[in-house]
Amino acid sequence: MIQTKNLAFSYSGKVNFNFPDISLESGQVLLITGGSGKGKTTLLHLLGGLLKAQSGSIRIGDTNIESLSDKNLDKFRGKNIGLILQQPHFVEAFSVLENVVLSSWLATGQKAEEKATSLLTELGLADQMTKLTSRLSIGQQQRVSIARALINEPQLLLADEPTSSLDDENAFNVADLLSKLSKEYGAALIIVTHDQRLKDRFSNQITLL
Ligand SMILES: Nc1ncnc2c1ncn2[C@@H]1O[C@H](COP(=O)(O)OP(=O)(O)OP(=O)(O)O)[C@@H](O)[C@H]1O
């Protein structure tokens, strides 16, 4: 489903990374771990096409994303990659439901309101849908991010430290939901984390050194 080969990246020629190859099938989970500053978020942003590698390749399904133009990459990302980033970047003036619907509209031109409602309900947010996202707890916002990432049924789900600010109960809930829903949608799930609770839960891991 996703394969990378010889990925290299550099910030202004000063901080250089050579990343290990990744190969992951639909329905599988991979954790990317490693100490602070080792390039975990950088690698996740490369996989999501938010940064461009200096060299190497990233194949998602049948598409080599490095060969796409910026415009086609945006389209591809919208349809095929669900992103759960450290900062959720919600549209503050929109409700929870509207934020999730916006994601479907941007990717497909369709407002998938029914599907957004059912996803949010599955994520335990049925009674939060009309609220502004800023009125939700961090754990609830994390679940809105998950709904938004899943609304377009992506092939690949990328999550950056999804549990770092959560207590044990919420962290286990988020881990369970990510794993259950990515399987349900047939997505490959890659999680960047230094959270020991996730390391204990998912055995397939690579560590950046
Ligand atoms: N936009 C940027 N410009 C220059 N250097 C950057 C930029 N973003 C990150 N870096 C540097 O690249 C290195 C890797 O950063 P990255 O955020 O990928 O690490 P990380 O493993 O995710 O760290 P952490 O666990 O602390 O979040 C760090 O040394 C960081 O300072």
Side-chain angles (χ1 to χ4, degrees), residues 11-12 15 17 34-43 86 161 192 194:
Y11 287 108
S12 325
V15 190
F17 298 101
S36 181
K38 296 297 180 187
K40 301 181 297 297
T41 294
T42 303
L43 175 56
Q86 289 194 36
E161 300 284 5
V192 158
H194 49 63

Side-chain angles (χ1 to χ4, degrees), residues 110-195:
Q110 309 283 322
K111 291 188 177 175
E113 204 164 312
E114 235 173 80
K115 193 161 164 209
T117 302
S118 94
L119 254 178
L120 286 165
T121 303
E122 190 169 0
L123 287 157
L125 295 167
D127 51 355
Q128 309 292 327
M129 284 194 271
T130 56
K131 289 188 184 168
L132 294 177
T133 51
S134 57
R135 302 283 171 204
L136 268 53
S137 72
I138 300 291
Q140 289 169 327
Q141 290 186 23
Q142 204 58 268
R143 281 181 276 154
V144 179
S145 282
I146 295 175
R148 185 180 57 180
L150 284 167
I151 186 81
N152 299 316
E153 300 190 16
Q155 302 184 56
L156 176 64
L157 196 57
L158 302 174
D160 197 354
E161 300 284 5
T163 54
S164 58
S165 51
L166 303 181
D167 62 19
D168 283 353
E169 191 186 345
N170 276 306
F172 291 126
N173 275 342
V174 163
D176 285 346
L177 285 166
L178 278 173
S179 146
K180 174 178 169 269
L181 292 172
S182 60
K183 278 206 178 61
E184 213 169 291
Y185 285 78
L189 168 62
I190 298 180
I191 305 174
V192 158
T193 191
H194 49 63
D195 189 333

